[in-house]
Amino acid sequence: ITVSPENTTQTCHDCGFVMGSDGTEKLTLADREWTCPQCHTHHIRDHNAALNILEKGFQKQQKA
Ligand SMILES: [Zn+2]
């Protein structure tokens, strides 16, 4: 299964907040870890992105 990588890095896996919205700064490639401004969960950038990609894959599979 392939999924669109769009916003998988910028989206908080816990609450769905998207960095760059509500006047926040988007994460840059230099940001390896970050804290969600909405739910205050601390994320390892690549781990959070991987969870979002996994979830997208599951959603796609359910629709198929
Ligand atoms: Zn969050």
Side-chain angles (χ1 to χ4, degrees):
I1 298 175
T2 55
V3 300
S4 165
E6 191 180 18
N7 277 341
T8 49
T9 294
Q10 307 288 339
T11 304
C12 170
H13 179 71
D14 285 60
C15 72
F17 184 82
V18 181
M19 292 301 286
S21 65
D22 284 344
T24 56
E25 298 264 323
K26 277 199 161 198
L27 301 170
T28 70
L29 282 172
D31 296 318
R32 305 312 301 168
E33 299 184 19
W34 57 285
T35 301
C36 174
Q38 184 166 269
C39 71
H40 305 290
T41 301
H42 184 75
H43 295 295
I44 309 294
R45 174 208 181 88
D46 289 342
H47 185 243
N48 177 68
L51 289 172
N52 286 330
I53 291 167
L54 181 66
E55 190 162 286
K56 275 191 168 189
F58 282 143
Q59 285 171 358
K60 207 166 174 180
Q61 199 173 37
Q62 282 165 6
K63 283 176 201 154

